């Protein structure tokens, strides 16, 4: 409900408190309790857009169009925030005997999914962003096309780069000075992706499993025999 509706219906916090003095009362707003947007309602895609999620999902910073998420992510995140806030308020009630009113917002739900956006002393901190093809955030943290479909590569360890190159049949890349350290590899994302894509297109998706397990060990390949792992 938008601001003022619950009070007009006679089910606002003060109305409920008169019936149950220690009530825990949670209300969800669209954009928050105060500010120029407080009186507005809305639906999930509006908060996705306002929080910058559609911009990031489409990699609009590369010149792409924004991309709408079909999943109602702001609704789901806000529900989680409401539950956590209510549980904290109920604990406070058990300890002190006091009820309270709390609120969440769907815009806050969007902020949950944009939580990798960080400001330090007012300056934005660089964060991983999708490439223009929407394949992933680095050359070894992305999707690759094979002869019979796509596979996902994901890893974070420095030590995995050499093993990954060996598994893929391009061991010379591990010794290439352009990719010698993690900072250089991050700076050469597009170049590395272009070098790694052709070997993948020559393979079947299922053929990646056993060699990967041989390179890293079965117990280091989470998710079962079809996990895919690679470099940071």
């Amino acid at each position: 409900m938008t601001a003022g509706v619950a009070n007009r219906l006679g089910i606002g916090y003060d109305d409920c408190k008169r019936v149950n003095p220690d009530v825990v009362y949670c209300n969800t707003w669209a954009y928050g309790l105060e500010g120029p947007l407080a009186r507005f309602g809305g639906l999930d895609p509006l908060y996705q857009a306002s929080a910058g999620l559609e911009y990031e999902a489409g990699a609009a910073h590369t010149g792409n169009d924004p991309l709408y998420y079909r999943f109602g992510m702001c609704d789901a995140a806000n529900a989680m925030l409401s539950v956590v806030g209510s549980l904290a308020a109920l604990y406070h009630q058990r300890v002190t005997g006091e009820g309270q009113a709390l609120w969440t917002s769907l815009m806050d739900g969007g902020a949950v999914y944009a939580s990798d956006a960080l400001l330090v002393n007012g300056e934005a901190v660089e964060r991983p962003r999708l490439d223009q093809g929407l394949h992933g955030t680095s050359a070894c943290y992305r999707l690759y096309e094979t002869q019979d479909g796509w596979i996902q590569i994901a890893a974070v360890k420095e030590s995995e780069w050499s093993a990954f190159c060996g598994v893929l049949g391009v061991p010379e890349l591990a010794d290439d000075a352009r990719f010698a350290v993690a900072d250089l590899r991050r700076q050469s994302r597009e170049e590395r992706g272009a070098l790694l894509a052709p070997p993948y297109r020559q393979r079947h998706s299922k053929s990646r499993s056993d060699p990967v397990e041989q390179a890293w060990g079965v117990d280091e390949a989470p998710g079962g025999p079809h996990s895919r792992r690679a470099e940071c």
Side-chain angles (χ1 to χ4, degrees), residues 78-166:
N78 176 72
M80 178 185 67
L81 295 173
S82 299
V83 169
V84 172
S86 297
L87 289 174
L90 286 169
Y91 178 78
H92 176 81
Q93 180 203 62
R94 294 289 178 88
V95 173
T96 67
E98 299 173 347
Q100 60 182 291
L102 61 141
W103 63 269
T104 60
S105 78
L106 288 155
M107 184 64 184
D108 286 341
V112 168
Y113 290 105
S115 58
D116 60 337
L118 181 64
L119 294 178
V120 175
N121 297 324
E123 298 292 331
V125 176
E126 185 178 355
R127 57 174 169 158
R129 307 183 82 174
L130 282 171
D131 58 26
Q132 189 170 29
L134 307 182
H135 297 130
T137 57
S138 80
C140 291
Y141 205 93
R142 55 161 284 181
L143 292 159
Y144 281 99
E145 187 177 15
T146 68
Q147 288 186 13
D148 59 342
W150 293 76
I151 62 173
Q152 173 71 46
I153 301 299
V156 294
K157 294 181 180 179
E158 172 80 22
S159 61
E160 291 174 348
W161 170 236
S162 295
F164 173 62
C165 291

Side-chain angles (χ1 to χ4, degrees), residues 20-226:
N20 182 4
D22 66 349
V23 66
V24 169
Y25 184 98
C26 180
N27 201 347
T28 288
W29 308 105
Y31 293 97
L33 184 59
E34 300 176 344
L37 297 178
R39 64 187 180 88
F40 291 103
L43 296 171
D44 190 270
L46 302 180
Y47 316 116
Q48 290 185 27
S50 299
L53 302 178
E54 294 174 349
Y55 184 92
E56 291 297 327
H61 62 281
T62 68
N64 290 354
D65 293 335
L67 182 66
Y68 164 55
Y69 279 108
R70 178 63 185 86
F71 166 56
M73 56 199 312
C74 298
D75 290 336
N78 176 72
M80 178 185 67
L81 295 173
S82 299
V83 169
V84 172
S86 297
L87 289 174
L90 286 169
Y91 178 78
H92 176 81
Q93 180 203 62
R94 294 289 178 88
V95 173
T96 67
E98 299 173 347
Q100 60 182 291
L102 61 141
W103 63 269
T104 60
S105 78
L106 288 155
M107 184 64 184
D108 286 341
V112 168
Y113 290 105
S115 58
D116 60 337
L118 181 64
L119 294 178
V120 175
N121 297 324
E123 298 292 331
V125 176
E126 185 178 355
R127 57 174 169 158
R129 307 183 82 174
L130 282 171
D131 58 26
Q132 189 170 29
L134 307 182
H135 297 130
T137 57
S138 80
C140 291
Y141 205 93
R142 55 161 284 181
L143 292 159
Y144 281 99
E145 187 177 15
T146 68
Q147 288 186 13
D148 59 342
W150 293 76
I151 62 173
Q152 173 71 46
I153 301 299
V156 294
K157 294 181 180 179
E158 172 80 22
S159 61
E160 291 174 348
W161 170 236
S162 295
F164 173 62
C165 291
V167 166
L168 196 55
V170 286
E172 66 276 8
L173 293 183
D175 298 322
D176 194 313
R178 294 172 297 174
F179 318 129
V181 296
D183 283 344
L184 290 174
R185 291 195 292 274
R186 280 191 288 271
Q187 294 168 18
S188 60
R189 175 173 73 175
E190 300 297 336
E191 184 179 8
R192 281 194 305 141
L195 291 170
L196 295 171
Y200 270 113
R201 283 195 290 268
Q202 297 173 14
R203 308 273 182 141
H204 291 279
S205 60
K206 298 291 175 59
S207 70
R208 299 274 25 92
S209 180
D210 289 343
V212 168
E213 291 176 359
Q214 293 169 14
W216 285 284
V218 176
D219 59 344
E220 291 188 40
H226 299 300

